Amino acid sequence: MLEIKNLHATVGGKEILKGINLTVNAGEVHAIMGPNGSGKSTLSYVISGKDGYEVTEGQILYNGIDLTEMEPEIRAAEGVFLAFQYPVEIPGVPNVTFLKEAVNAVRRHRGEDELDAMQFVKMIKAKTEELGIAKDMLKRAVNVGFSGGEKKRNEILQMAVLNPKLAVLDETDSGLDIDALKIVSDGVNQLRSDERAILVITHYQRLLDHIVPDFVHVLAHGKIQRSGGKELAFELEEKGYAEYGVAAE
Amino acid sequence: MSGKAQTIEKVREFTDEKYKFGFVTDIETESAPKGLSEDIVRFISAKKDEPEWLLESRLKAYRHWLTMPDPEWQKPNFPPIDYQGSYYYSAPKSVGDGPQSLDEVDPEILKTYEKLGIPLFEQERLSGIPIAVDAVFDSVSVATTFKAKLEESGVIFCPISEAIQRCPELVKKYMGSVVPYTDNKHACLNSAVFTDGSFVYIPKGVKCPMELSTYFRINAENTGQFERTLIIAEEGSYVSYLEGCTAPMRDENQLHAAIVELITMDDAEIKYSTVQNWYPGDAEGKGGIYNFVTKRGLCKGKNSKISWTQVETGSAITWKYPSCILQGDNSVGEFYSIAITNNYQQADTGTKMIHLGKNTTSRIISKGISAGKSDQMYRGLVRMGPKAVGARNYTQCDSLLVGDQCGAHTVPYIETKNKSAVVEHEATTSKINEEQLFYLRQRGIPTEKAIALVVNGFCREVLQQLPMEFAVEAQKLVEISLEGSVG
C-alpha cells in the first residue's frame, strides 16, 4: 500500500528527512516513534502534501503511484488521510457542511454520484452512532470551541466518514487525558481493517497500549534507526531515545 | 509553489471570465441625446408624462446640482466623472408607454432576464413561496409580476413612474422626505434625472404575502442608471424586499446613482436586502460600474424596524452607506453587510445609525473580504442624539484579506450627545489562513472550494439574515466572486 523509498525532504531549506525507507501493507498498523524534532510530523506532512514541505529525493509510492507531485486534495481523494495533531478551527462553517463537502469532493473524484442531503444525513447519523459521538458536534462550527478530546474525536469521525485506505495519525494522543485517549483509540480500533493501513505517529508508548501496532519504527535524525515488533515500544519507554544520540528530555 | 503563492495565484486567476452576466442584449432603444442639461431633465419628465410639481422639483435639484462640488472625502480614487459623456435616458423601443401585461414584454428582454435567472412569469418557486418581481431595464421598468395578487391585499408594488400617475399624493408626500435633493451630489443628480425604480406601499396592518424584488439591469452603452425606490410601510405592516443588479461587461465606467428611501410607521418593519453584482471591471481594472447610491430608512413610528442586508460583490467602485434614522421611540435599525472586492475593485461602504428617539437600538455587522489588488473601507457613523435616552448600538466589523496586495480599512465615527446611550464597537482584521486551507484540502476539498468555504463561514452571520430563497444564491455568488471561471 505505502512504500517510501529513500525519502529526503526539506522545510525552509533545511533537510529534515534524510533517507527514509518504509513499507506498510494493507491491514497493518505501524507506529513511528521518535523524540521531538526527529522529523515525525514532517513525515506526516510530506505524505499528505502540505505546502512548504519539499521532497528533494526519493519516492512515496501509494499503491504503486508516486504521491510526491500530487496536490493534497487529490491524495486525500485517492484515500490518504491525515489525522491532525492540532485540528484547525474554521469559524462559521458547520461541521456537517464541511463533512458533506469533503465526502462529495472525494466521491466526485472517484466518479461516484454525490450524496444528496437525505443520503448524507443517514450516513452521518450511522457513523456518529457507531463512534458514540454526540450529534450536536455536527452542528457546531468545525473544531471551534471544541475541547482537545472533541477535536480528536472529530478527526476520527472524519476518518470514518471518508473511509481512507491509508490513515496517518499524527500525535493523536497529544493533549488527551486517559479517558479521552481511550475513546479516541477505540474509534481508531473500530476502523482497523484488512483493507486499511494505519500509520501511528507518537512520542509516547502509552498510545500503543490502546492501539496495538504490528510494527514499531524508531525515527531519529531524519532516518528510521530501528524497526521491530510492538515490544520495541516498551523498550523505548524504559530506555528513552538516548541510544539514538538524543539527550533525555 | 508555497501555499501563499498558490493562493495569490488562484486569486489572480479570478478574471473577468467569472462574470456570467456580462452579455449585451441587442435591442432597439430610444435614448435622450447625450449629456446633461435642463432640456434633458425636461425630456425625461415629458417622457414620463409627469405632473408639473415633479418637473419643478427635478429642475430645482438640477440647478442645485450645478452648484455642488464633487465630494473629495472618499477613499476610492477615480478620475472626474464626465457627466456630459453619458446618456441619461435609454429605453427599449418596444416598451413604449410601459408594459400592460407580461405578454407584451419584448421576448428579447424576457430572454435576458431568463439568462439572468430571474423568472418574469408568475410561477411559484421550488420552495412554494412566490416572489413578485419588478424588472428595470436601463431607464424603465419592463415588467412587474404578481401585481394583481398583491393588490388583493392592498399592497401596491409598481414602477415608480406608474405610482406617480396612480397615487401622486403618496409619492409627493414621501419622495425626498428621507433623502432630500441637497443630501449629496449623486443623490442630487438622481433627484434631477431619475428614470424609474420601484414603489411599494404596504397598508396598515398588512403583512405582505410574498417577497418583493426588483432586478436592475443596465444594458445600453454609456448610459447611467438613476433609479429611485420608495417603500412605505404603514402602521403594523411588514415587507421583505430584495434588489439584484447586473450589467454587461464594457470598457468604460458607467454610473449608477440610485436613491432608496424607506419609511416605517408605528410597529412596522421593512427588511431590505441587496445582492449587488454589477459588472466589476476586468482583471486590469478596466470598466465596471460606479455604484454610488444613497439608501436611507426612516423609522418614523415607535417600535418600528428597518433592516438592511447587503451582499456587495460587483461594481468597480461601491460607495454607499445604507442608513437608519431612528426617530420613533424603541425603533430598531440593523445593517448586515458582506462586501467582496477582487482585482482592482474598490469599496467604501458602511452605514449611519442616527438615534433620535428613546431606547432606540441599532446593530451593525460588517464583513469585508478583499482579494487581488482591491481596497476596502468600512466607514460607519453612530450618532446618539440628545433625546436618545437609553439608546444602544453594537458594531462588529471584520475584515478578511486574501493574498498580500489588497487593503482593508475601518473608520468608525461615534458621536454621543446623551450620557445614557451605550455604543460598542469591535473590529478585527485577519488574513485567510493557510492552515485552514490545508486542513480542508487534506479532506479532499479543492483549493477554490476551500477558500469559498472559509469565506462563507466568515460571512455566515450576515448570510443568515437573507431571505431563505436568496441565501443559497448569495452563497454561490460569494463562491463565484472568489472562484473565477471554475465550473
Side-chain angles (χ1 to χ4, degrees):
Chain A
M1 166 109 33
L2 178 69
E3 205 180 336
I4 297 176
K5 292 182 178 171
N6 188 32
L7 182 67
H8 292 251
T10 59
V11 181
K14 188 174 177 231
E15 186 166 66
I16 305 288
L17 302 184
K18 300 170 182 169
I20 298 222
N21 291 290
L22 179 69
T23 301
V24 181
N25 297 310
E28 293 174 354
V29 175
H30 289 237
I32 306 255
M33 298 185 69
N36 290 334
S38 59
K40 298 193 303 290
S41 283
T42 298
L43 179 62
S44 70
Y45 286 143
V46 169
I47 293 171
S48 54
K50 190 174 186 183
D51 287 317
Y53 290 75
E54 200 146 345
V55 174
T56 48
E57 207 183 323
Q59 282 183 313
I60 306 169
L61 295 175
Y62 169 70
N63 290 329
I65 308 160
D66 191 1
L67 292 180
T68 49
E69 292 298 313
M70 220 180 250
E71 295 291 338
E73 58 267 35
I74 306 295
R75 301 185 200 199
E78 289 286 337
V80 177
F81 181 89
L82 171 63
F84 283 63
Q85 182 178 1
Y86 303 109
V88 182
E89 297 185 1
I90 307 179
V93 178
N95 219 4
V96 66
T97 306
F98 159 60
L99 287 167
K100 185 159 181 269
E101 285 288 346
V103 166
N104 281 335
V106 169
R107 291 182 72 96
R108 271 197 301 277
H109 177 83
R110 293 177 186 164
E112 296 164 2
D113 287 339
E114 291 185 28
L115 296 183
D116 63 28
M118 290 291 281
Q119 293 165 318
F120 179 77
V121 167
K122 206 173 152 191
M123 184 271 276
I124 199 80
K125 195 165 170 260
K127 296 285 182 193
T128 45
E129 277 165 16
E130 268 172 45
L131 295 168
I133 286 174
K135 263 185 277 170
D136 84 298
M137 202 192 258
L138 294 172
K139 291 183 203 149
R140 292 158 66 188
V142 181
N143 296 324
V144 177
F146 283 31
S147 68
E150 283 176 324
K151 282 184 180 172
K152 296 296 167 82
R153 277 156 83 179
N154 199 24
E155 294 293 291
I156 303 307
L157 173 63
Q158 292 167 44
M159 177 171 155
V161 165
L162 292 171
N163 203 18
K165 298 192 192 104
L166 171 67
V168 181
L169 312 180
D170 187 8
E171 308 257 0
T172 292
D173 50 332
S174 71
L176 295 188
D177 58 32
I178 287 294
D179 293 336
L181 182 65
K182 173 117 181 36
I183 292 169
V184 168
S185 307
D186 286 351
V188 174
N189 286 329
Q190 278 186 46
L191 295 170
R192 286 178 87 144
S193 95
D194 291 345
E195 280 93 54
R196 183 172 290 138
I198 299 179
L199 199 55
V200 181
I201 291 175
T202 183
H203 186 104
Y204 301 106
Q205 186 272 334
R206 65 168 192 170
L207 176 65
L208 306 180
D209 287 342
H210 301 279
I211 305 170
V212 181
D214 302 304
F215 300 94
V216 174
H217 310 274
V218 181
L219 180 64
H221 306 299
K223 275 188 178 172
I224 304 267
Q225 305 287 347
R226 209 175 137 196
S227 296
K230 64 185 173 201
E231 65 288 346
L232 181 53
F234 295 109
E235 192 188 314
L236 283 170
E237 187 71 3
E238 205 175 305
K239 295 186 185 167
Y241 293 104
E243 69 174 280
Y244 307 101
V246 179
E249 287 162 42
Chain B
M1 201 187 288
S2 81
K4 194 162 153 194
Q6 201 169 15
T7 306
I8 294 167
E9 187 55 37
K10 285 285 180 219
V11 169
R12 204 168 285 144
E13 284 168 18
F14 306 154
T15 61
D16 46 6
E17 279 167 53
K18 75 176 186 203
Y19 195 73
K20 293 176 182 163
F21 310 108
F23 61 92
V24 178
T25 307
D26 190 14
I27 196 166
E28 263 199 282
T29 56
E30 185 187 13
S31 302
K34 212 180 208 174
L36 186 56
S37 65
E38 280 205 17
D39 286 346
I40 294 295
V41 176
R42 286 175 196 281
F43 175 95
I44 293 168
S45 189
K47 265 280 153 211
K48 308 263 173 195
D49 200 16
E50 286 175 354
E52 191 60 27
W53 63 266
L54 191 50
L55 173 63
E56 281 311 314
S57 117
R58 285 176 179 275
L59 289 171
K60 202 155 87 183
Y62 175 67
R63 287 170 196 142
H64 184 73
W65 179 78
L66 290 173
T67 69
M68 292 178 95
D70 283 329
E72 283 172 346
W73 50 266
Q74 76 280 6
K75 182 85 169 55
N77 287 313
F78 53 93
I81 295 169
D82 175 15
Y83 291 102
Q84 297 305 336
S86 262
Y87 293 96
Y88 289 82
Y89 181 86
S90 171
K93 246 186 185 158
S94 52
V95 172
D97 295 331
Q100 303 309 310
S101 78
L102 286 174
D103 305 337
E104 294 169 43
V105 178
D106 188 313
E108 279 301 313
I109 293 176
L110 285 181
K111 258 191 248 166
T112 300
Y113 282 90
E114 206 177 291
K115 256 166 117 174
L116 297 174
I118 301 150
L120 282 192
F121 42 86
E122 301 189 349
Q123 193 197 316
E124 295 201 350
R125 310 255 297 205
L126 277 177
S127 64
I129 307 161
I131 297 166
V133 179
D134 184 21
V136 177
F137 194 86
D138 290 331
S139 304
V140 292
S141 169
V142 291
T144 310
T145 62
F146 287 109
K147 259 159 96 172
K149 188 165 192 306
L150 284 167
E151 273 163 32
E152 281 170 26
S153 55
V155 172
I156 305 172
F157 177 45
C158 68
I160 200 145
S161 49
E162 188 184 318
I164 290 161
Q165 307 298 337
R166 275 177 58 191
C167 34
E169 62 299 329
L170 277 174
V171 178
K172 196 173 174 180
K173 184 171 173 192
Y174 291 110
M175 196 169 71
S177 71
V178 187
V179 181
Y181 68 93
T182 49
D183 193 82
N184 66 73
K185 186 155 187 174
H186 305 294
C188 190
L189 179 62
N190 176 290
S191 303
V193 301
F194 76 88
T195 44
D196 223 329
S198 299
F199 175 82
V200 178
Y201 178 79
I202 316 290
K204 190 172 165 177
V206 171
K207 187 176 185 300
C208 188
M210 59 182 83
E211 298 275 344
L212 305 184
S213 66
T214 300
Y215 279 88
F216 295 102
R217 172 77 178 167
I218 297 177
N219 186 62
E221 213 168 341
N222 284 316
T223 300
Q225 192 176 53
F226 304 93
E227 86 272 1
R228 188 118 200 170
T229 300
L230 177 59
I231 302 179
I232 302 152
E234 292 284 9
E235 193 182 324
S237 68
Y238 169 84
V239 64
S240 168
Y241 177 95
L242 181 119
E243 62 171 0
C245 329
T246 59
M249 286 155 54
R250 294 195 188 279
D251 287 344
E252 87 270 14
N253 296 108
Q254 286 175 285
L255 178 62
H256 172 256
I259 293 181
V260 176
E261 293 174 286
L262 314 181
I263 297 144
T264 49
M265 306 306 174
D266 288 357
D267 304 304
E269 179 177 349
I270 299 175
K271 189 175 164 61
Y272 193 104
S273 312
T274 302
V275 177
Q276 185 266 110
N277 189 22
W278 294 117
Y279 177 52
D282 68 10
E284 268 71 56
K286 197 168 186 196
I289 301 291
Y290 288 165
N291 188 36
F292 301 164
V293 172
T294 307
K295 290 179 165 172
R296 197 171 301 155
L298 172 62
C299 283
K300 201 175 164 108
K302 59 180 195 308
N303 308 317
S304 66
K305 181 174 174 183
I306 289 177
S307 177
W308 298 99
T309 304
Q310 59 173 21
V311 179
E312 304 279 332
T313 60
S315 297
I317 302 173
T318 293
W319 184 11
K320 62 175 213 177
Y321 313 95
S323 304
C324 298
I325 300 168
L326 303 169
Q327 183 183 314
D329 291 346
N330 309 315
S331 59
V332 178
E334 292 178 337
F335 175 73
Y336 298 98
S337 172
I338 297 170
I340 301 180
T341 52
N342 199 351
N343 297 320
Y344 286 89
Q345 282 177 275
Q346 305 177 74
D348 190 328
T349 186
T351 184
K352 290 188 266 186
M353 292 292 174
I354 312 293
H355 292 252
L356 301 178
K358 280 182 214 136
N359 300 316
T360 47
T361 52
S362 63
R363 183 177 169 83
I364 300 169
I365 309 286
S366 166
K367 304 278 181 179
I369 298 102
S370 319
K373 294 189 168 68
S374 69
D375 200 41
Q376 269 198 41
M377 164 72 91
Y378 167 82
R379 206 188 287 275
L381 167 68
V382 176
R383 179 183 293 156
M384 299 298 186
K387 287 178 187 157
V389 178
R392 291 186 80 96
N393 160 266
Y394 174 75
T395 300
Q396 185 190 326
C397 180
D398 300 320
S399 307
L400 184 67
L401 303 171
V402 184
D404 53 10
Q405 296 179 70
C406 50
H409 318 268
T410 302
V411 181
Y413 303 80
I414 298 170
E415 298 172 14
T416 307
K417 295 202 175 79
N418 188 300
K419 279 188 188 153
S420 67
V422 180
V423 179
E424 287 175 80
H425 181 94
E426 286 178 28
T428 65
T429 302
S430 52
K431 283 189 121 175
I432 199 154
N433 183 318
E434 292 299 332
E435 297 297 325
Q436 289 176 333
L437 294 184
F438 176 62
Y439 189 67
L440 294 170
R441 292 174 76 194
Q442 211 302 307
R443 300 304 185 243
I445 300 169
T447 308
E448 297 177 2
K449 194 95 189 158
I451 292 175
L453 209 56
V454 171
V455 171
N456 265 312
F458 176 76
C459 300
R460 188 171 155 86
E461 258 179 294
V462 175
L463 288 169
Q464 280 174 330
Q465 296 299 325
L466 285 172
M468 269 282 272
E469 285 284 325
F470 301 104
V472 179
E473 283 178 45
Q475 234 162 5
K476 276 190 207 140
L477 191 58
V478 168
E479 206 171 311
I480 291 165
S481 307
L482 287 164
E483 251 187 17
S485 49
V486 173

